[in-house]
Amino acid sequence: MKNILFKEEQCLLALLNQALVNRDSSEEIVEVAECDISRVVEMARKHAVVSLLYDVLQDNSRFQRYMTTVKIEAKKTVLQSYRLLFLTRYVVTLFQEAEIPVIVLKGVA
């Protein structure tokens, strides 16, 4: 069982690498083709990185049955990011109106 899980971990890392580096690599897709995709998606969910897989998986017919899950997670991530953006903007504006210097170091910065 550990070998199967290790293979799915490698597949997830290959997909994330492709998503983050923004390259089209048939070599990595071949590697992923040998994996249990349901386990890869579940592992991505546990690590809260499902939304990063959206662009990589959307055009591949093998992943279509998992795209509903991926789309839902991607939408949640976008909504959370917008909430953080507007909340940060609101708080920064309050500080500026009170003439208190402020620097945003994390989050939407």
Side-chain angles (χ1 to χ4, degrees):
M1 186 71 165
K2 284 188 175 187
N3 289 340
I4 293 172
L5 189 59
F6 184 70
K7 182 178 248 180
E8 273 63 43
E9 288 172 339
Q10 287 181 325
C11 290
L12 177 58
L13 291 174
L15 287 168
L16 291 171
N17 184 43
Q18 186 175 349
L20 295 172
V21 176
N22 195 22
R23 64 183 164 150
D24 185 22
S25 171
S26 57
E27 180 180 308
E28 289 179 0
I29 291 297
V30 169
E31 184 179 321
V32 171
E34 301 170 2
C35 296
D36 180 346
I37 300 304
S38 64
R39 288 185 184 196
V40 173
V41 171
E42 184 56 35
M43 193 178 307
R45 183 195 318 258
K46 286 180 183 177
H47 292 288
V49 295
V50 174
S51 62
L52 293 174
L53 300 178
Y54 183 83
D55 290 335
V56 177
L57 301 183
Q58 72 176 343
D59 295 328
N60 190 314
S61 61
R62 182 161 187 254
F63 304 113
Q64 289 309 305
R65 68 186 260 198
Y66 304 101
M67 283 308 296
T68 301
T69 300
V70 173
K71 285 179 185 179
I72 289 169
E73 294 299 320
K75 286 180 183 180
K76 286 181 188 178
T77 300
V78 168
L79 290 174
Q80 182 181 13
S81 295
Y82 274 123
R83 279 193 286 267
L84 288 173
L85 174 66
F86 289 114
L87 180 61
T88 301
R89 188 173 190 170
Y90 172 73
V91 172
V92 167
T93 300
L94 289 177
F95 277 105
Q96 289 172 336
E97 288 172 354
E99 297 182 7
I100 299 171
V102 62
I103 297 174
V104 180
L105 298 176
K106 292 187 77 178
V108 297

